Amino acid sequence: MSASTSAMHPGEDSRPALDTDLGWAIRMVSSAFRRVATESVADLPGGARAYLVLVALADGEPPSQLALAKAVSLDRTVMTYLLDDLEAHELVTRRPDPRDRRARQVLLTNTGRARLDQVRDNLATAEAKLLVDLDEHDAQQLRTLLARVAQTAQSSTAPLTEPNC
């Protein structure tokens, strides 16, 4: 948990209050976001995992299946089954990588892009409810800071484990 001492309750002995503890805040936000996000992507085959895959495919050069699995932190076996499902729904397609015929590139289809836009709209509405107490600047700053922490967590050499609390 957080060791921040910037928001102590008067008379306390250097221990943060629950409402200023980083671990508590992350858990509350994560739980609330999981609920609204799950509802927003419920009709997408593969749910939240599929959403992350579609977002990762939306911009840039088509990645290999392995690179895509790493980018969204999914086991490569899980990725294969997920892509099979997304391909069956015509949201993605796979083709041999022209630079390495042993690898397969994953591409977002026009149907997949339209579906992603729809899900993004649903999520934006849900996120707005969650971030209702923040103005636009604060909401953007929160997203930016969380993205930085997430990138650090993803690239960390030490495996992250769930705390026992």
Side-chain angles (χ1 to χ4, degrees), residues 57-136:
L57 294 174
D59 297 316
E61 181 72 20
S64 69
Q65 283 186 210
L66 184 57
L68 181 59
K70 286 180 182 177
V72 297
S73 298
L74 281 179
D75 178 81
R76 65 181 186 192
T77 305
V78 172
M79 178 60 73
T80 299
Y81 289 117
L82 180 58
L83 290 176
D84 288 346
D85 201 20
L86 292 172
E87 198 167 34
H89 285 85
E90 300 180 355
L91 302 177
V92 303
T93 188
R94 291 176 275 195
R95 69 177 182 202
D97 186 331
R99 295 168 301 226
D100 181 358
R101 308 277 297 159
R102 297 168 296 169
R104 311 273 296 158
Q105 287 182 321
V106 185
L107 296 94
L108 187 61
T109 64
N110 289 336
T111 302
R113 192 169 302 281
R115 193 74 175 275
L116 175 59
D117 289 343
Q118 179 186 38
V119 172
R120 279 182 165 158
D121 288 344
N122 294 345
L123 272 172
T125 300
E127 286 176 10
K129 291 177 186 174
L130 184 61
L131 301 177
V132 71
D133 290 332
L134 301 180
D135 64 29
E136 193 171 322

